Amino acid sequence: MEAGQGAMGGGAASPTTSVRPGTGGSYNKRKRSGAEFESSPGSGGDDNEDEGERRRQPGVKRACNECRQQKLRCDVIQDPFTTCSRCNRLKLECKIESNFKRVGKRSKHAEMEKQIERLRQSLQRAQAMGYVIEDEEELDSPMANGVYSRNNQSFMGSDEAVSSLLHLKQGGSYNMPRIAREIENVGLTEDAINHLFNEFWCYYHPYLPFLSPQQTPDQYYQQHPLLFWTIIAVAARRYTADPGLLTSLIGPITRLLWTTVGEVPSSHYVVKALCLLCTWPLPTSTTSTDPTHILCGVMMKTATGIGLHRPSHTQDFSRVSVELNKEQLHDRVTTWAVCNIVAQSIGTGYGQPASTLYDWTLAIRPGDDGPFVLSPELEARLQIERFCDKVSKEMYSNATDPRGVAGDELRAMLTRVYRREYNELQVSIMSRQDLSAIVNLHLKAAGLHLRLSAFFDSSTTPGYMDDLMGLWRAVLAFLDLVFELESPTADNMSGNILRFASNYILQMINAACFALLKLLSSFFSREIEFERGRILFHRTIQAIRSMSVINNDLPWRLAELMVQMWNGARVEQRSRQQQMSNNGNGNGQDARAVIDDSLQLKVRCRMSMSLVFDSIWRWREEFQAQGRGNLEGQLSPFPPWCVRSEKQAYAYSIAAMKNPTNPDSAAESSASSTHMDATLMPPAHQLQNHLLAAAGAVTPNHGLPSSSMISGSVGYSESNYEVFDPLNWMLDGLVDFPYSYAAIQGLEANGMG
């Protein structure tokens, strides 16, 4: 009786004893009944068993899974649960599972050998089917070029698995490069990180020199992960070791960015990351998905929210007392200055009001040598951007005008005032010997920003022709400097600055290119060197294409659009006709007196960038007026009469997909205003446009828009004025096409080619 009670008591108190529901103590009874063959009822066997259970119960200890697998002593504590020292040291997951079973190494190795044999057989069958393995062909390693994508290469390929496992079996070692930093499915080795940071310091840092090259990548990561990965993304724009790295980073960095913004950042290192992202935005193919203008506002509000504009009184914006040393104070002053430089360049480049704040912190203090003094590069850039701010606010912020534009007389007076101020600024900056050529490039861009206001003048404005001539000279000065810096020289051994230029420089190049197109196709072409302008326009098209970082991004699509507008305008043919007319009649001087309002803008709410949006709107309006135009005549390398079937159209499109549109092609044929050289056609991502024409999605009934889309004679209906995104409408509706090249390859394989 006592033995039975002891057994029941022990079963109730033991934490390791399990009783199945509905069976009561039958399980223990069956165990005891099995022992009756070895001990009699009076032998005390049950008593001994109960005594053993009682002795084990107070000190019950179980090792964690990892220690049990290795048969090692474990010091895990279950209540309260404390990780064992071994798992803590090796960064292992320390846990205890009742159903854990050890895995035998011998069986695991045997299974690996079986897998090797299966892979060998698969490889032999592939070779028997004609698959040839070239010895010099490099196998794609999951750590190729130091970049590891868990999404695309989660496991090694079969060939790599065979070679690595055989190497292990023969006593060798297979050392996988260690991933130093990882964001979602993209990992980087230490060598790749160092290479990317070196790329950033060499090529991108000169455009915005406010970070410290002396700091290590780990220090930037500790400051904030967003700052670290933003530097990586900027450097990956031209990373030849792995051209697909930027595309892989777009999604993870975008999610990290908005997660950081959603958590209301309180670190000025996040502000630094936003400065970089606004200067070199992640690539996009449409203006409607470009968040740069929004991020600029977030950048400025975050900066003022944490007191960067009052760096010496940071405690007024913090819950705790903050004391900054001289170096920390200078870092915050520099960051605040860069915020204003970036915000002003975004306002100018996007044609929007700039959210700048030029306050006491950024005031120039001659002779001062304190933490509020900026480096010569940043001080010069700040002076230039403050000049651009004056031009934008005075000329395009008129409260009495519904579009905010100053009147003709006031604008003419302001142009004279700011022209004088610009000359003084140019003398002041160019007299310094410690400034880079990039500062001069931004100075020329500021001069172009000032002179683009000439397109707002009417033909009756006093000094109208002088303003147009000033614009022509500003365009030449800016573009000539661009190509001078692009060409290798003794001072600039590498050249190729456009490959690493900021988005603001790209936008000003776009504005200069549209200004050339507009001036060369107007009455003003008689007053300028037409051939020089034509050559410069063609070089600018190539420059814009060279600034493209991925296929079908916004720079490439804009370059294609400008070529189509040039070919549609047929400005060279018009220029020759005008010259022949003047030479034949002998009244060239009288012809120069014919001045019209064809250069005036209809889109006038985008400040100096109104020219860009106005040109695109005119192109769109005439294209829509002609039944959306003749895409086949515009984009096909062959005239419509030689395309007899859809099969031929597909074949022509596929054959001509490798090269961009040729802006010279308009002068090569008199039969079509848009004849394209068959050897100079759009690349792979432009193939979609050929298919659009070939498939009959748009019925070709008319030719391309004539010069009226540039000169301004096209009807411009205010009812059709959609302010949401004219650039995106045009590019998404006409230049892009929702078919992938892989689908076209399938058509070609099926005999359509």
Side-chain angles (χ1 to χ4, degrees), residues 14 43 89 94 132 157 239 241 255 273 370 374 382 408 440 471 492 499 509 598 609 623 655:
S14 174
S43 65
R89 185 178 71 256
C94 187
V132 179
Y239 188 50
R255 288 184 284 273
L374 301 174
L382 190 62
D408 290 349
N440 189 20
L471 171 61
N492 183 21
R499 291 167 50 82
I509 291 176
S598 59
M609 288 294 123
F623 217 85

Side-chain angles (χ1 to χ4, degrees), residues 443-454:
L443 181 63
K444 294 295 189 292
L448 178 61
H449 170 58
L450 168 64
R451 289 296 190 172
L452 284 171
S453 61

Side-chain angles (χ1 to χ4, degrees), residues 389-443:
D389 179 66
K390 291 181 182 179
V391 173
S392 298
K393 287 182 177 179
E394 295 296 334
M395 289 191 172
Y396 307 111
S397 300
N398 184 12
T400 61
D401 185 80
R403 296 181 179 178
V405 182
D408 290 349
E409 295 182 1
L410 176 60
R411 192 169 55 254
M413 181 185 67
L414 291 173
T415 300
R416 292 192 296 270
V417 172
Y418 288 128
R419 182 176 59 193
R420 202 162 41 243
E421 184 175 341
Y422 175 78
N423 292 333
E424 295 174 358
L425 177 64
Q426 186 174 19
V427 171
S428 172
I429 290 180
M430 297 305 296
S431 62
R432 306 177 191 177
Q433 303 296 326
D434 53 352
L435 300 180
S436 67
I438 294 178
V439 174
N440 189 20
L441 182 63
H442 286 86
L443 181 63

